[in-house]
């Protein structure tokens, strides 16, 4: 059997495992996560000054954390399932699947941003930024230099997610589920120790703390804990309970928004004030997860399921669309005034 054939067979096996675990409700959760981010970037970032509406909208930034949580949950569940079925994890095949899913749109967006920067000095992609983007080091470079130029600023989260993917398959392969719970606990603890240290040093909430891998890994840890505890099970919750969890989840994210809303002059940037905000966001992600997990593939859900399926592409390119839409609106507004 050739190497190519063997890889194709393994990829097909993995595809079958993914299909057998498919939960339409998780695509709905992906759609919700994207819509939260879209609101945050489309509404808040275009407000000239801080407002209550802006503070509420800024809670949508935690849609990124939902993506982190969901990625960790799914990856851990699928790796553990593969390990149970085959008694191993085929790490090269895992990386092939991740590369084929993530890299084409990611590097396409970098190309679009670079090309646009040739005609707009404000959006120019420097050599240093290009290297950070290409090497998936974007979030760390963002800490010292602000967000990536122009339409590329959401890509910091892709770099952070790829850093998780780089290590996690090997960890799951060689450790037991109990040990994964221990690792997750360590990641949670490290997140808050890092948060305490950064706040003590006077680091900015956004982007300095917000894009830090060690801080955001708490959401990956929560996803892992959820996968290990549930083992693929779907709790049977009544509709009123799921609606209650949905509302509670959104309220938790609203309460947590001050963790990234650095324009709030009344907020003390200390561990005592900021850490509880992050801690509130964790159950917020869990509540939204359980509110959506049980949802079926019904007619009313289909648009949201489709939106969830393409949410990664929407996320990568949404700032470009928002920017172009804003330019078009301003152009016609100036023409109308003239």
């Amino acid at each position: 059997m050739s190497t190519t054939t063997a890889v194709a067979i393994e990829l097909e096996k993995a595809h079958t495992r993914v299909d057998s675990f498919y939960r339409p409700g998780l695509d709905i959760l992906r759609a919700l996560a994207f819509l939260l981010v879209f609101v945050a970037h489309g509404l808040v970032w275009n407000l000239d000054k801080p407002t209550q509406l802006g503070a509420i909208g800024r809670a949508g930034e935690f849609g990124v954390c939902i993506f982190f949580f969901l990625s960790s949950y799914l990856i851990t569940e699928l790796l553990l399932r593969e390990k149970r079925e085959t008694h191993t994890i085929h790490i090269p095949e895992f990386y092939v699947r991740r590369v084929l899913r993530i890299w084409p749109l990611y590097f396409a967006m970098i190309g679009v941003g670079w090309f646009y920067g040739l005609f707009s000095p404000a959006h120019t992609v420097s050599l240093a930024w290009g290297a950070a983007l290409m090497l998936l080091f974007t979030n760390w470079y963002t800490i010292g230099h602000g967000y990536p130029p122009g339409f590329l600023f959401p890509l910091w989260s892709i770099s952070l997610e790829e850093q998780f993917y780089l290590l996690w398959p090997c960890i799951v392969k060689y450790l037991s589920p109990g040990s994964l719970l221990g690792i997750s606990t360590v990641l949670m603890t490290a997140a808050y120790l890092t948060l305490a240290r950064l706040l003590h040093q006077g680091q900015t909430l956004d982007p300095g703390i917000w894009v830090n891998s060690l801080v955001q890994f708490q959401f990956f840890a929560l996803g892992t804990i959820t996968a290990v505890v549930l083992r693929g099970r779907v709790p049977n919750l009544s509709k009123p309970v799921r609606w209650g969890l949905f509302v509670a989840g959104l309220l938790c994210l609203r309460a947590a928004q001050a963790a990234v809303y650095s324009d709030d002059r009344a907020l003390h940037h200390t561990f005592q004030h900021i850490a509880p905000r992050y801690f509130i966001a964790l159950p917020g992600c869990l509540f939204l997860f359980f509110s959506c997990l049980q949802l079926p593939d019904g007619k009313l859900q289909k648009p949201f399921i489709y939106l969830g399926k393409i949410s990664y592409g929407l996320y990568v390119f949404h700032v470009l669309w928002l920017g172009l839409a804003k330019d078009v609106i301003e152009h016609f507004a100036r023409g109308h005034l003239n």
Side-chain angles (χ1 to χ4, degrees):
M1 181 183 299
S2 67
T3 302
T4 303
T5 303
V7 170
I9 291 174
E10 290 302 328
L11 287 174
E12 182 60 32
K13 288 180 179 177
H15 183 67
T16 302
R17 284 192 294 272
V18 171
D19 286 346
S20 66
F21 178 67
Y22 177 66
R23 302 285 183 265
L26 298 186
D27 273 329
I28 296 174
L29 182 59
R30 283 194 188 94
L32 173 64
F34 167 71
L35 290 174
L36 287 172
V37 174
F38 187 82
V39 168
H41 293 167
L43 172 64
V44 180
W45 286 45
N46 288 315
L47 295 176
D48 294 330
K49 57 183 180 178
T51 64
Q52 183 62 23
L53 179 62
I56 295 173
R58 194 69 189 261
E61 297 279 8
F62 281 95
V64 174
C65 301
I66 297 175
F67 278 126
F68 293 157
F69 164 81
L70 191 54
S71 292
S72 176
Y73 168 77
L74 287 170
I75 291 301
T76 303
E77 169 60 33
L78 293 173
L79 289 174
L80 288 174
R81 181 172 293 221
E82 179 180 0
K83 190 175 179 179
R84 289 194 300 268
E85 293 178 359
T86 67
H87 306 292
T88 189
I89 292 175
H90 301 88
I91 293 177
E93 285 76 13
F94 171 86
Y95 288 138
V96 169
R97 294 193 298 271
R98 289 296 91 195
V99 165
L100 292 177
R101 173 173 171 75
I102 302 296
W103 286 16
L105 289 179
Y106 175 80
F107 286 105
M109 186 64 238
I110 293 175
V112 170
W114 172 81
F115 182 77
Y116 189 84
L118 295 178
F119 305 94
S120 174
H123 297 80
T124 299
V125 180
S126 66
L127 182 61
W129 266 120
L133 289 159
M134 297 295 287
L135 296 174
L136 299 169
F137 195 72
T138 311
N139 65 306
W140 291 111
Y141 194 73
T142 296
I143 291 174
H145 301 82
Y147 284 105
F151 309 126
L152 300 177
F153 78 83
L155 298 188
W156 70 266
S157 63
I158 309 301
S159 292
L160 195 154
E161 207 163 334
E162 291 291 84
Q163 292 160 26
F164 171 78
Y165 292 149
L166 180 65
L167 301 174
W168 201 242
C170 295
I171 292 174
V172 177
K173 180 174 182 176
Y174 295 109
L175 294 181
S176 66
S179 297
L180 293 180
L181 292 178
I183 291 290
S184 299
T185 303
V186 170
L187 289 176
M188 285 278 194
T189 304
Y192 287 92
L193 290 175
T194 301
L195 182 62
R197 180 174 178 81
L198 293 176
L199 288 168
H200 180 72
Q201 293 175 342
Q203 182 64 268
T204 59
L205 295 180
D206 182 22
I209 292 174
W210 179 244
V211 304
N212 189 291
S213 296
L214 295 177
V215 173
Q216 290 290 352
F217 273 178
Q218 63 182 295
F219 296 98
F220 290 97
L222 182 65
T224 296
I225 293 171
T226 306
V228 171
V229 171
L230 287 182
R231 287 177 58 90
R233 297 187 297 268
V234 178
N236 187 20
L237 304 176
S238 66
K239 185 176 292 187
V241 170
R242 284 187 276 121
W243 272 111
L245 288 173
F246 181 79
V247 173
L250 293 179
L251 289 176
C252 283
L253 299 189
R254 169 65 181 94
Q257 57 84 26
V260 291
Y261 191 47
S262 55
D263 291 329
D264 188 347
R265 298 291 183 262
L267 177 66
H268 298 288
H269 293 180
T270 62
F271 185 79
Q272 294 91 324
H273 289 86
I274 301 301
R277 316 283 180 156
Y278 273 104
F279 200 71
I280 290 172
L282 293 171
C285 290
L286 270 181
F287 293 158
L288 292 172
F289 170 79
F290 283 111
S291 72
C292 294
L293 181 61
Q294 198 176 331
L295 292 175
D297 186 6
K299 180 179 291 187
L300 293 177
Q301 291 90 347
K302 281 189 181 297
F304 298 100
I305 292 172
Y306 176 73
L307 191 65
K309 289 180 182 294
I310 63 172
S311 59
Y312 171 62
L314 294 175
Y315 177 79
V316 170
F317 285 94
H318 78 279
V319 176
L320 171 63
W321 302 333
L322 285 171
L324 293 176
K326 183 179 179 181
D327 290 344
V328 169
I329 292 172
E330 290 179 349
H331 173 77
F332 281 103
R334 288 194 298 268
H336 178 73
L337 292 174
N338 293 335

